[in-house]
Amino acid sequence: FVFDQQQRTTMVRKLKHHEKKLLKKVDFMNKNLRPVEIMHRYHIQKREDYTKYCRLAGKITKLTAMLRELDPKDPIRIATAKHLLLKLHGIGLVQKETDSELSSCERLTTSSFCKRRLPVVMTRLKMAQTVKEAVRLVEQGHVRVGPTTITDPAYLVTRQREDFVTWVDNSKIKRHVNTYNDTLDDFDML
């Protein structure tokens, strides 16, 4: 029994709108589910952000490998390693800034960058219960870092700026929290 091309295409029904949307999210050919798992865990909406974090982690790992090939007493290696560790510690990707070994830079992963995103930091600071809720609050403009209001959930919070993550002054959430803590000022009600 031989089918020609026209008969084969007419045997399959046309996909409905919701079925097409579901098929866009699933890749049957690629077996690597790690990116999807990380994007789901840290609630990353744009795949470009994930690939950007992957590239950065790969470049830092590559730079660390190149530094390891140099002589340990080489002044260029010492200065570059110290500068790299200071930068990574300032961003919050490495725990110790005086790590003479470059082992912490070699273990840098994409998740390290994801942990510095504003919604994840908000969850860690107990400003939101879940990362998804924190993303929603950031997108709605309830959060500021220092004096600026942040509406992009991909904003990376440095170690210095972590202490300045607060609610926007005119946010109803801030008013609700202050009412609950019994610290609401009459001036704030205006």
Side-chain angles (χ1 to χ4, degrees), residues 9-25:
T9 57
T10 57
M11 290 180 64
V12 178
R13 70 173 175 82
K14 186 176 179 183
L15 293 176
K16 295 178 182 173
H17 176 71
H18 70 280
E19 293 171 334
K20 288 180 186 176
K21 288 193 72 129
L22 283 174
L23 278 177
K24 286 182 184 177
K25 294 180 182 179

Side-chain angles (χ1 to χ4, degrees), residues 79-117:
T80 308
K82 184 178 178 183
H83 185 69
L84 178 66
L85 287 170
L86 281 172
K87 281 285 192 188
L88 293 178
H89 179 72
I91 295 171
L93 300 175
V94 176
Q95 296 302 321
K96 298 179 259 178
E97 66 179 281
T98 57
D99 189 8
S100 60
E101 298 285 325
L102 294 170
S103 58
S104 56
C105 295
E106 285 181 336
R107 292 190 306 266
L108 197 67
T109 61
T110 306
S111 295
S112 304
F113 285 96
C114 294
K115 289 175 185 174
R116 300 307 304 176
R117 289 170 56 96

Side-chain angles (χ1 to χ4, degrees), residues 28-42:
F28 293 110
M29 302 305 278
N30 190 1
K31 303 278 189 214
N32 188 7
L33 297 177
R34 183 77 179 151
V36 176
E37 180 183 323
I38 289 175
M39 288 177 66
H40 181 70
R41 181 184 308 147
Y42 296 107

Side-chain angles (χ1 to χ4, degrees), residues 155-184:
Y155 181 82
L156 293 180
V157 182
T158 62
R159 202 177 287 271
Q160 280 183 323
R161 293 259 170 165
E162 192 170 337
D163 297 333
F164 300 108
V165 176
T166 57
W167 302 111
V168 174
D169 291 333
N170 59 357
S171 174
K172 289 189 176 191
I173 295 175
K174 181 178 182 179
R175 182 177 289 177
H176 192 74
V177 169
N178 287 343
T179 304
Y180 179 78
N181 291 335
D182 224 9
T183 59
L184 185 64

Side-chain angles (χ1 to χ4, degrees), residues 26 41 59 63 106 146:
V26 180
R41 181 184 308 147
K59 287 182 180 183
L63 178 63
E106 285 181 336

